[in-house]
Amino acid sequence: MRLTGPSARIRPARSRFARSWRGRRVFAGSALVAFGAVSAVVQFVGQLFPGTVSRPGPVLAGSVALCLAWGLARARPQAAVRQEFGRPGMTVVVEEGDLFEQAGHLVVGFTDTFDTRVDDGGVINDGSVQGQLLARRYAGDSGRLDAELAAALTGVAPVSWESARDKPRGKRARYPVGTVAVLGSRPALVFAVAYSRMGNDCVASSGVEDLWLGLDRLWDAVRRHGQLECLTMPLTGAGLARLHDLDEDSLLRLILLSFVVHSWERRVCRELRVVVRPGELGRIDLPETGAFLAGLAAGARRHV
């Protein structure tokens, strides 16, 4: 699945640069602070016990090594962030991993046509989350996936139909953006949420409003069908289905904010786990994400 918009190659480059700059800044700041603290301790000990620091060379070398090690430890990228919320009782986790190896329910983004065809890569890319859903949950059986989608969409009226001439490939019924098809059975439901529009040229497009609406309907569906069990989702809108209005950090915060705000109204699930791929993790500032979640948790306490 492809999206129209600015080149996707530019944003990751800027994000990698920003992340490396943040890492160097944290390393330099932490090392300098540690060096100042160690120097103060050495001077204090030297004044209290004259002659203790008789060989300044080794002491200086040891201090520098200790400070550099501390700086490296502080600048080391995080692999996960976890935040507990007292109100409502829930946990939010952001971590690197394999989306399809997680237990619990799963969120997968779709377009408004709920296309599934991946055989030629012209409609749905087989490397996308949706393509992986077909390969790993349905063993490549698109007929079974289509049948489950059709059953889940029973009672949802399409907003329009495309002609075979206008859309020669893929499905032609268009459903409202924000439609959620609940597939499979507990404890491993799949929430297929339509947050983008599939063009007749099989190029999908989306925006912040579409994603926000899709998330709004998604949390409602999870609340109705998920029985508060763990929910796992990718960084919806990134990768091959990129929202060009947002970088990965902003996209992640939008998802987290939507989930927490809805959970204040009524609990959605006991745990939300956002699983990012290794290529995406390098473009996310997890310490800042942790601070953002901590701020939301503090806001939840004030919201009581």
Side-chain angles (χ1 to χ4, degrees), residues 216-261:
D216 181 75
R217 304 291 170 79
L218 169 66
W219 310 136
D220 287 341
V222 173
R223 184 182 298 124
R224 290 195 307 270
H225 301 280
Q227 297 191 10
L228 299 181
E229 293 169 344
C230 178
L231 179 70
T232 301
M233 68 183 297
L235 189 59
T236 304
L240 295 172
R242 177 179 302 281
L243 274 80
H244 295 288
D245 298 333
L246 300 175
D247 60 17
E248 284 81 355
D249 270 325
S250 301
L251 181 59
L252 177 58
R253 293 185 190 190
L254 178 69
I255 293 170
L256 298 175
L257 177 63
S258 175
F259 174 74
V260 172
V261 168

Side-chain angles (χ1 to χ4, degrees), residues 5 15 21 23 28-29 35 41 46 67 87 94 105 128 143 146 155 175 177 182 192 222 227 229 260 284 290 295-296:
S15 299
W21 170 249
F35 187 75
V41 170
C67 295
R87 183 193 179 277
V94 179
H105 307 312
S128 66
D146 284 335
Y175 293 88
V177 170
V182 183
V222 173
Q227 297 191 10
E229 293 169 344
V260 172
I284 294 173
L296 289 177

Side-chain angles (χ1 to χ4, degrees), residues 183-231:
L183 313 177
S185 59
R186 296 186 54 252
L189 295 172
V190 175
F191 292 89
V193 53
Y195 72 94
S196 61
R197 295 174 173 85
M198 178 68 82
N200 289 343
D201 56 357
C202 294
V203 176
S205 61
S206 188
V208 175
E209 291 184 359
D210 293 331
L211 177 59
W212 187 263
L213 175 60
L215 292 170
D216 181 75
R217 304 291 170 79
L218 169 66
W219 310 136
D220 287 341
V222 173
R223 184 182 298 124
R224 290 195 307 270
H225 301 280
Q227 297 191 10
L228 299 181
E229 293 169 344
C230 178
L231 179 70

Side-chain angles (χ1 to χ4, degrees), residues 125-170:
N125 190 293
D126 58 3
S128 66
V129 173
Q130 190 180 332
Q132 289 297 301
L133 171 71
L134 176 61
R136 299 178 64 175
R137 284 287 181 92
Y138 290 85
D141 187 349
S142 59
R144 182 162 69 93
L145 176 56
D146 284 335
E148 289 193 20
L149 282 169
L153 293 170
T154 300
V156 182
V159 294
S160 64
W161 292 80
E162 299 293 342
S163 66
R165 182 184 65 181
D166 291 338
K167 192 174 186 291
R169 294 183 297 175

Side-chain angles (χ1 to χ4, degrees), residues 8-60:
R9 292 188 295 271
I10 297 176
R11 285 184 182 272
R14 289 201 302 266
S15 299
R16 283 194 298 269
F17 175 80
R19 182 175 175 82
S20 62
W21 170 249
R22 284 193 296 266
R24 290 195 294 268
R25 185 176 61 187
V26 171
F27 167 74
S30 300
L32 287 174
V33 169
F35 187 75
V38 170
S39 298
V41 170
V42 169
Q43 291 179 10
F44 180 73
V45 170
Q47 291 176 357
L48 286 181
F49 306 100
T52 302
V53 187
S54 57
R55 302 178 61 187
V59 172
L60 177 61

